[in-house]
Amino acid sequence: MEGQPQGPPNPAGMENGTEPCGEERASEAQETTVTEGAAKIAFPSANEVFYNPVQEFNRDLTCAVITEFARIQLGAKGIQIKVPGEKDVQKVVVDLSEQEEEKAELKKGANLAPGDQPRTAAVGEICEEGLRVLEGLAASGLRSIRFAREVPGLQSVVANDASARAVDLMCRNVQLNAVAHLVHPRQADARMLMYQHQRASERFDVIDLDPYGSPAPFLDAAVQAVSEGGEATLTWAQSRARGFRRILTAQAFLAGLLCVTCTDMAVLAGNSGETCYSKYGAMALKSRACHEMALRIVLHSLDLRANCYQRFVVPLLSVSADFYVRVFVRVFTGQAKVKASASKQALVFQCVGCGTFHLQRLGKASGASGGRVKFSAACGPPIGPECEHCGQRHQLGGPLWAEPIHDLDFVGRVLQAVSTNPGRFHTSERIQGVLSVITEELPDVPLYYTLDQLSSTIRCSTPSLLQLRSALLHAGFRVSLSHACKNAVKTDAPSSALWDIMRCWEKECPVKRERLSEASPAFRILSVEPRLQASFAVRDDANPSSRQRGLKRFQANPEANWGPRPRARPGGKAAGEAMEERRRLHQNKRKEPAEDPVQRAARLKTFPCKRFKEGTCQRGDQCCYSHSPPAPEDTAAAASPDHPKTSYQNLPGSGVAAGPGVD
């Protein structure tokens, strides 16, 4: 995550669109050199320009996605990209039914004139028909420099930032990495820069937004500045003869790529629903599925803003990782397709007692005569005023994106490219694990439940992941994991079937019903007999492939105090020191300090032992409570008529209640 708060641009730097590199140079003692991927970046030791090393996974994944996007875009134009570390073999995608025809056409293609042979695009070279990339909030320029040194098929990369200090550092890093022919630093407000590129001929093929906090202020400009692509110059027969095949429709590859990161997860995860609505146009709920809900809220916000300009989005990949969410979407233009956007959004009804959720689409699309599609308002709500399982009320959240959040074909291409070239990225192992889980997710099932949520609701022990997955499979339902949560259960089973399975599990691991309140969700759910008889015998297909292979699916803490970094500021060293002091003061502020063992033993000795009074304490001198009889003055005071008669059994404020472990 790199980015700076937006400020007024430098007029001198805006005249020709570039900001000249400054002459001031920080001393070597004040700088830190960082090597990431193929880039080598110098940072000021003070927190003047933002950099977070934990976001390396984000940057690696972005390079992998843009590489595959370039392979598709340029492949349609007859240009083959050369990725370092990949075998020099052209990827050919064919249908089995057309293999013989392909072989004949490939033989013809081998006899083409030299000028008709496929062109190539290598890393670090300018491709005249390549992608135009904008990094709107570039900070040190690390991401843009990595694009130039690791992604082939680029025409230009504009690295923009509003901070003059950041642009100066960018210029130095561009020269340090010898990519000045590709990377062009600029100092401007990211919104104004994108608004200035609304013309179809000036739009960017790829826009990357990774701000500090919420990207909401930049989304309106971004959906207008991303391109429609260019027409392919090859005919269908020529593309097949040269080993290329259009894996997308004619419109599918004619779209730009928009990459957006959101780090304001407290807002998106439901801690402040009204703030989420003001930024993204949706109410977020506190839910176990809050991370996937955050992804769907961001996609809804992008589509909503694109609809204002007769455009719509199609998600390629949506990832929830660490402390942020990252979405990759294509942006298309089409008035007819925009009409379907309402039917892609949904409201969420979530029970406050048991957590059961139901989705209600905003619109309805149905077939009409003549092959037309008729759009109308949806009918609802799908539930009553009270939850059918526990009788509690519902909360209303959304709207959010209810369609698939990944293009599994595209995700498979990225996964294959990373798997066959694992040395390309430092976080390749994690990328393979995350993308493998994504390919296993049910694409048409929004949101999920969690194991601990289901078991804690009915106050029973937690079944193993394989047992619950097996029970759902035995019942004829589909089930998968989610990359957003380690113990997620994403299934197409209705909530009634899911609670029936949990009732059957409770019969195997009974709950003490007498301890349950009659008004509790657990009592009301367990008071109903299950209509579905679940089997918890573990099935072979209950264990997903990514879990069997032991892939690195979920991130372990990479370092101490990892997470979002403080915002970069002028004179950032003082700000960083203040942040460290504040962090130290707030550390464990909600926890009671650990008590000294000697002080605790002395405190417990002030409480009388109840069992000693009854004559049943067998610990003797080893007992942590007092075995001393009451003092004579205390006995006399207790017997006096002015003193209320009390006993150890009935004394509310005695050691029986105050002293832990008396019983």
Side-chain angles (χ1 to χ4, degrees):
M1 177 183 60
E2 303 113 355
Q4 296 293 324
Q6 296 299 305
N10 188 339
M14 290 294 293
E15 291 180 0
N16 55 5
T18 61
E19 170 70 12
C21 299
E23 298 180 358
E24 297 182 3
R25 295 291 183 266
S27 63
E28 295 295 333
Q30 296 176 343
E31 289 189 349
T32 302
T33 302
V34 176
T35 300
E36 183 180 295
K40 186 176 181 181
I41 307 295
F43 287 96
S45 298
N47 187 33
E48 295 181 282
V49 178
F50 189 85
Y51 169 68
N52 192 346
V54 178
Q55 290 266 33
E56 183 179 4
F57 169 76
N58 186 334
R59 292 183 282 268
D60 286 352
L61 181 62
T62 303
C63 289
V65 168
I66 295 179
T67 298
E68 289 309 306
F69 182 74
R71 196 190 305 274
I72 294 173
Q73 295 282 85
L74 300 185
K77 301 177 182 179
I79 302 175
Q80 176 184 350
I81 65 172
K82 299 289 185 180
V83 180
E86 282 189 1
K87 294 182 179 179
D88 190 15
V89 177
Q90 173 62 43
K91 293 187 177 181
V92 183
V93 184
V94 297
D95 293 334
L96 295 178
S97 59
E98 301 177 347
Q99 283 185 355
E100 297 300 326
E101 182 182 355
E102 290 289 338
K103 290 180 181 179
E105 292 184 353
L106 288 175
K107 289 181 180 179
K108 294 179 182 179
N111 298 324
L112 293 174
D116 294 333
Q117 295 300 321
R119 293 166 291 170
T120 60
V123 171
E125 298 179 356
I126 297 178
C127 179
E128 295 299 334
E129 300 181 49
L131 304 180
R132 293 165 295 176
V133 182
L134 167 67
E135 185 185 3
L137 305 144
S140 64
L142 170 59
R143 193 180 299 248
S144 296
I145 293 172
R146 288 196 59 183
F147 291 163
R149 294 184 63 89
E150 300 179 33
V151 179
L154 302 183
Q155 182 184 121
S156 64
V157 180
V158 177
N160 176 77
D161 203 280
S163 167
R165 180 73 179 95
V167 174
D168 177 70
L169 186 64
M170 246 188 282
C171 293
R172 298 171 54 196
N173 287 327
V174 166
Q175 297 296 332
L176 178 64
N177 290 270
V179 290
H181 60 294
L182 273 175
V183 181
H184 309 293
R186 288 193 62 169
Q187 183 185 355
D189 185 294
R191 293 162 293 187
M192 294 304 300
L193 178 61
M194 289 186 285
Y195 281 132
Q196 292 169 0
H197 288 76
Q198 295 182 29
R199 281 180 150 185
S201 59
E202 298 178 356
R203 292 173 178 170
F204 298 99
D205 300 304
V206 180
I207 295 180
D208 191 304
L209 295 176
D210 194 350
Y212 187 94
S214 173
F218 310 101
L219 298 184
D220 182 79
V223 296
Q224 300 180 66
V226 68
S227 71
E228 287 292 317
E231 291 290 344
T233 57
L234 296 180
T235 65
W236 171 256
Q238 287 176 328
S239 65
R240 288 161 62 97
R242 298 184 183 184
F244 295 95
R245 181 174 178 83
R246 301 188 184 190
I247 63 172
L248 302 173
T249 63
Q251 187 191 28
F253 71 84
L254 298 180
L257 178 65
L258 182 57
C259 318
V260 180
T261 299
C262 306
T263 58
D264 54 336
M265 287 302 296
V267 172
L268 287 168
N271 286 351
S272 182
E274 66 282 358
T275 304
C276 184
Y277 180 81
S278 66
K279 292 183 177 182
Y280 300 99
M283 286 291 294
L285 300 178
K286 287 188 177 180
S287 167
R288 297 299 177 93
C290 61
H291 292 96
E292 182 177 328
M293 190 178 293
L295 286 170
R296 294 182 178 275
I297 287 175
V298 175
L299 292 174
H300 158 75
S301 181
L302 284 169
D303 192 58
L304 183 64
R305 294 166 195 261
N307 290 165
C308 299
Y309 309 101
Q310 302 301 314
R311 311 191 82 181
F312 62 97
V313 303
V314 176
L316 282 180
L317 175 63
S318 307
V319 177
S320 171
D322 300 333
F323 51 87
Y324 60 91
V325 292
R326 177 77 163 167
V327 296
F328 302 87
V329 301
R330 292 174 297 174
V331 183
F332 299 99
T333 300
Q335 184 178 4
K337 294 292 184 68
V338 168
K339 294 180 179 180
S341 290
S343 60
K344 299 177 183 177
Q345 321 298 325
L347 298 172
V348 180
F349 293 85
Q350 179 178 278
C351 174
V352 299
C354 62
T356 303
F357 59 83
H358 300 270
L359 267 67
Q360 169 65 61
R361 297 273 181 157
L362 291 183
K364 180 181 178 182
S366 56
S369 59
R372 296 180 297 106
V373 179
K374 181 180 179 181
F375 300 101
S376 59
C379 299
I383 41 86
E386 295 181 350
C387 176
E388 59 180 321
H389 305 295
C390 67
Q392 302 286 341
R393 67 185 189 280
H394 289 92
Q395 286 184 324
L396 183 61
L400 49 79
W401 182 267
E403 292 294 301
I405 60 176
H406 314 290
D407 183 332
L408 294 183
D409 291 335
F410 183 81
V411 174
R413 291 172 63 94
V414 178
L415 176 59
Q416 181 184 9
V418 176
S419 301
T420 56
N421 189 10
R424 185 182 177 199
F425 302 115
H426 182 255
T427 61
S428 290
E429 184 179 354
R430 187 184 178 194
I431 293 177
Q432 293 179 53
V434 171
L435 296 185
S436 296
V437 177
I438 287 176
T439 58
E440 297 169 351
E441 288 184 10
L442 296 177
D444 56 340
V445 179
L447 307 183
Y448 53 81
Y449 297 93
T450 61
L451 278 175
D452 56 308
Q453 170 196 1
L454 296 172
S455 56
S456 63
T457 299
I458 61 174
R459 301 292 190 267
C460 73
S461 60
T462 305
S464 70
L465 180 66
L466 296 184
Q467 286 176 319
L468 185 59
R469 287 172 59 92
S470 298
L472 289 165
L473 293 173
H474 282 303
F477 302 108
R478 297 178 297 153
V479 62
S480 75
L481 297 175
S482 172
H483 79 281
C485 182
K486 189 173 184 179
N487 58 348
V489 179
K490 184 185 283 285
T491 177
D492 61 348
S495 57
S496 57
L498 197 58
W499 287 121
D500 275 348
I501 291 175
M502 294 306 298
R503 292 185 186 104
C504 294
W505 173 255
E506 188 272 337
K507 292 184 181 296
E508 297 188 8
C509 305
V511 175
K512 294 183 178 180
R513 305 289 182 92
E514 62 275 8
R515 295 188 175 183
L516 299 178
S517 169
E518 294 185 1
S520 66
F523 183 87
R524 296 192 177 186
I525 291 174
L526 296 178
S527 62
V528 178
E529 286 297 318
R531 290 174 293 179
L532 182 152
Q533 297 303 317
S535 171
F536 294 95
V538 177
R539 295 174 41 145
D540 293 337
D541 56 347
N543 197 10
S545 173
S546 61
R547 193 169 182 266
Q548 291 179 11
R549 291 182 288 164
L551 298 179
K552 189 176 182 180
R553 301 173 298 157
F554 302 98
Q555 167 78 342
N557 293 352
E559 60 183 23
N561 299 321
W562 71 283
R565 296 297 178 93
R567 186 190 297 269
R569 303 178 186 279
K573 189 171 184 179
E577 291 175 351
M579 178 63 68
E580 290 296 330
E581 178 64 18
R582 187 188 311 170
R583 182 179 297 164
R584 186 187 65 81
L585 293 175
H586 289 179
Q587 189 74 21
N588 298 324
K589 67 178 182 181
R590 293 183 177 88
K591 296 182 180 179
E592 293 183 1
E595 188 176 9
D596 183 73
V598 176
Q599 294 179 355
R600 182 175 186 274
R603 181 175 60 84
L604 293 179
K605 278 295 183 180
T606 62
F607 298 108
C609 178
K610 179 180 178 181
R611 292 182 179 178
F612 174 75
K613 182 176 178 61
E614 296 173 349
T616 59
C617 183
Q618 300 177 357
R619 297 183 180 181
D621 295 338
Q622 301 298 324
C623 182
C624 60
Y625 297 101
S626 174
H627 285 190
S628 302
E633 57 272 15
D634 295 340
T635 305
S640 64
D642 297 334
H643 192 281
K645 184 177 181 179
T646 59
S647 67
Y648 287 116
Q649 289 82 356
N650 300 323
L651 185 61
S654 67
V656 176
V662 173
D663 293 332

